[in-house]
Amino acid sequence: MTSSLPGKRMCLSLTVVAMVNSTEPHGWPNTSTKDLLDNIKNPRYNWSPEIRGVILSSILYGMLIVKIPVGYLSGIYSIRKMVSCALILSSLSSLLIPLAADAGEMPLIACRVVQGLGQGTVSIAQHMVWVKWAPPLERGRLTSLSVSGLMLGPFIALLATGFICQALGWPFVFYIFGACGCALGLFWFILFYDDPKDHPCISVDEKELITSSLMAQVTSSGQSLPIKAMLKSLPLWAISLGCFAFSWTNHVMFLYSPTFISSRLHVNVTENGLLSALPYLFSWVLGILVGQVADLFLSRNMFCVTTIRKLFTTLGLLLPSLFGICLCHLSSGFHSTIIFLILASATSVFCIVGILINPLDIAPRYYGFLKGVTVLIGMTGGLTSSTLAGIILNRDPESSWSKIFFLMAAINIISLTFYLIFAKAEIQDWAKEKQHTRL
C-alpha cells in the first residue's frame, strides 16, 4: 500500500514533461498528421515554469493540512475506514487529473490538493496499525518492510510512466494508477482489521502472541493530549529534529538527483529516468534488510532499544552526508558518480529503524498524534531544503552542488548530535496512563 502513495505523486512529476506545450501552438497549420495524432493522445498545455512549480507542489499543501488532525483522530477512529476512504479519495483525484487539466490550472491545483489530503491521511493513519499489530521484538522489520514501499513506488512509477506515455498517452498514467489505487482501497477495507483479536484468518496462538506482548500498552481513546509535557520532552524534540534532517536529506537527494545527473553526466531523458530510479531500488532492498538486522540485535539482546535507535539514526544521517560530499569531490567518472549517488540516497533508510519508529517507543499511546507532528516538522525541512537548493543552483551554478551537500551535512550533524544526547526509547512519564490498560 505504501508504494502506491509516492508512485502516484511521481506520476505528475514525470508526465508534466509530456503535458507542457512545445514552441508551436495547438493546431498549427503545417503540423503533420503524426503530430496531430500525438496531440490527441498527449494533450499539451501552455504552462509557464512558475505554474508548473505550483501544480507540482500543490499536493504538499493538502498533505500538510491533515498531518496533525489525522494523527490525533487515528487514535480514536477506525484505521480500517480512514485508510480505505483516504486511498479511494486520492485515487479518484488521480482519475480526474486529465479532466481537471483540460479545465484549467486552478481545477488541476484543487484536484492535487484533494489528492494530498487523501495521501496525507493514509501516510499518517497507517502507522497506527503497529500500535495493535506489532510486538516489540518485531517492530523494526514490520515497520521497515512497510516504509520500504515508499521507495519501491517511485522506482516502479519512474520506469512505467515513460512507457505508458509513449504507448497510450499521458492521461492513461493517471487512469491506470487511479484505478489500481481504488482497487487497493477496496482490498484494504475487506482484508484489514483494526484489532488482531477480530481477524478471522489468523490463528489463536498468533492472536495470543500479539495481544500478550502488548498487554501493558494503553490506548488513547477519549483521553486528552498532554501538550505541555510533550513540548517539554527533550526525547520528542530530538526525534523531531532528526526527522527534520532526514526529510532535508531525502528531498535534496531524490528531488535533485535528475538535475545532478543531467548537469554532471549529460545523458538523455530516458537514461536519466533509469539512473534516477536506481537509488529507489537500492533504498527499497536496504530498507527491508535494516529492519531484519535491528530486530536481530534486539531479539538476541545484543543492544538495548535506545542503542539500536541511536546506531541506525547515526548511520542514516552520517552516511548520506559522507557520500554526498564524495559525490562532489571524488566522483571523476560515470560509474563512480552513480555509485556515490546511489549510496548517498539509499543509506538514509537506516533511519527507518531509528528516528522514524522512535515515537512508538516513547509514547505508543499517542503514536498517531506524534507521528503527525514529527512528519509535519520533517516536511518543513524537506520544503526548506528543496527551495534553498533551487536558489543556490540559480545563483551559483559553478560551486552550487558542493554548497548544497555541505549544508546537508551540517544540518545532519547538528541534528544527530542533539539526538544522540537526548534520545530515549523508554515510555515517557507523560505517556504512562494507568487507566484504559489492555489486559
Side-chain angles (χ1 to χ4, degrees):
M1 181 188 69
T2 50
S3 62
S4 70
L5 301 181
K8 281 185 280 190
R9 286 203 297 272
M10 289 295 296
C11 287
L12 190 59
S13 299
L14 296 171
T15 56
V16 73
V17 178
M19 296 169 71
V20 175
N21 203 359
S22 60
T23 54
E24 293 182 347
H26 284 297
W28 195 258
N30 295 324
T31 303
S32 66
T33 303
K34 181 180 178 181
D35 290 337
L36 288 174
L37 291 175
D38 184 62
N39 287 338
I40 295 173
K41 186 171 70 173
N42 289 297
R44 292 182 172 87
Y45 309 99
N46 295 311
W47 294 338
S48 67
E50 292 78 13
I51 291 295
R52 274 178 267 167
V54 173
I55 292 172
L56 289 173
S57 63
S58 56
I59 192 171
L60 296 176
Y61 297 108
M63 295 180 71
L64 284 170
I65 292 171
V66 299
K67 291 295 183 184
I68 294 180
V70 168
Y72 176 71
L73 294 174
S74 62
I76 301 174
Y77 297 106
S78 168
I79 302 299
R80 179 190 188 188
K81 295 178 181 178
M82 287 181 67
V83 171
S84 181
C85 292
L87 272 172
I88 293 175
L89 175 65
S90 174
S91 301
L92 290 176
S93 301
S94 181
L95 290 169
L96 293 174
I97 282 179
L99 290 175
D102 276 336
E105 294 93 344
M106 291 308 298
L108 178 57
I109 291 171
C111 193
R112 289 278 286 175
V113 171
V114 173
Q115 190 177 32
L117 294 174
Q119 292 200 8
T121 299
V122 175
S123 65
I124 295 300
Q126 65 172 339
H127 288 284
M128 283 297 293
V129 170
W130 307 124
V131 174
K132 292 184 178 180
W133 278 91
L137 295 179
E138 297 180 16
R139 282 175 180 171
R141 74 189 73 171
L142 291 173
T143 303
S144 65
L145 183 62
S146 172
V147 176
S148 66
L150 296 174
M151 305 299 174
L152 181 62
F155 173 74
I156 295 173
L158 282 164
L159 293 181
T161 298
F163 291 106
I164 297 173
C165 286
Q166 186 176 3
L168 302 173
W170 67 258
F172 278 88
V173 173
F174 299 102
Y175 297 149
I176 292 173
F177 278 88
C180 291
C182 288
L184 181 61
L186 293 175
F187 276 120
W188 173 272
F189 184 78
I190 294 171
L191 299 176
F192 177 76
Y193 287 79
D194 290 317
D195 199 302
K197 67 176 184 290
D198 299 326
H199 203 292
C201 299
I202 63 175
S203 65
V204 175
D205 291 340
E206 188 174 1
K207 291 179 182 180
E208 178 61 26
L209 172 65
I210 296 173
T211 54
S212 62
S213 66
L214 300 173
M215 64 181 182
Q217 185 172 287
V218 293
T219 61
S220 61
S221 300
Q223 299 294 311
S224 60
L225 293 167
I227 299 297
K228 290 183 179 180
M230 290 179 179
L231 290 174
K232 295 178 181 179
S233 175
L234 288 176
L236 181 56
W237 280 109
I239 295 171
S240 300
L241 194 58
C243 288
F244 181 90
F246 172 77
S247 185
W248 184 294
T249 300
N250 258 12
H251 278 71
V252 168
M253 295 311 306
F254 288 111
L255 287 182
Y256 284 93
S257 287
T259 305
F260 182 84
I261 291 172
S262 179
S263 64
R264 287 298 180 93
L265 302 180
H266 307 290
V267 296
N268 60 42
V269 175
T270 303
E271 293 171 338
N272 195 329
L274 177 60
L275 294 174
S276 298
L278 289 177
Y280 287 104
L281 177 62
F282 281 87
S283 297
W284 173 58
V285 175
L286 185 59
I288 296 174
L289 293 177
V290 296
Q292 301 289 336
V293 174
D295 283 347
L296 178 65
F297 288 162
L298 192 59
S299 62
R300 296 190 177 183
N301 294 318
M302 299 173 67
F303 302 107
C304 67
V305 179
T306 301
T307 302
I308 291 173
R309 299 294 179 248
K310 290 183 177 181
L311 171 63
F312 283 94
T313 299
T314 300
L315 294 174
L317 293 181
L318 276 190
L319 291 181
S321 304
L322 175 62
F323 291 127
I325 293 173
C326 291
L327 185 61
C328 285
H329 298 284
L330 297 180
S331 56
S332 56
F334 178 88
H335 293 96
S336 60
T337 299
I338 296 302
I339 289 172
F340 282 127
L341 180 64
I342 291 173
L343 291 173
S345 303
T347 50
S348 65
V349 301
F350 281 108
C351 289
I352 290 176
V353 289
I355 50 173
L356 298 188
I357 197 177
N358 206 178
L360 186 55
D361 300 318
I362 66 170
R365 180 170 178 266
Y366 303 113
Y367 181 52
F369 177 77
L370 295 184
K371 192 66 182 178
V373 171
T374 54
V375 169
L376 178 62
I377 293 173
M379 289 186 68
T380 304
L383 289 172
T384 304
S385 68
S386 57
T387 303
L388 194 56
I391 294 173
I392 294 173
L393 285 170
N394 186 53
R395 292 184 177 179
D396 188 12
E398 294 297 326
S399 60
S400 56
W401 292 112
S402 180
K403 292 179 179 179
I404 289 171
F405 287 120
F406 271 109
L407 179 60
M408 181 184 81
I411 294 293
N412 285 354
I413 291 172
I414 293 171
S415 301
L416 178 61
T417 301
F418 190 88
Y419 183 82
L420 291 176
I421 295 173
F422 296 109
K424 303 290 182 184
E426 301 83 20
I427 297 179
Q428 300 300 290
D429 292 337
W430 46 267
K432 293 179 179 178
E433 295 291 341
K434 302 301 181 183
Q435 54 267 47
H436 301 287
T437 301
R438 291 194 285 122
L439 299 175

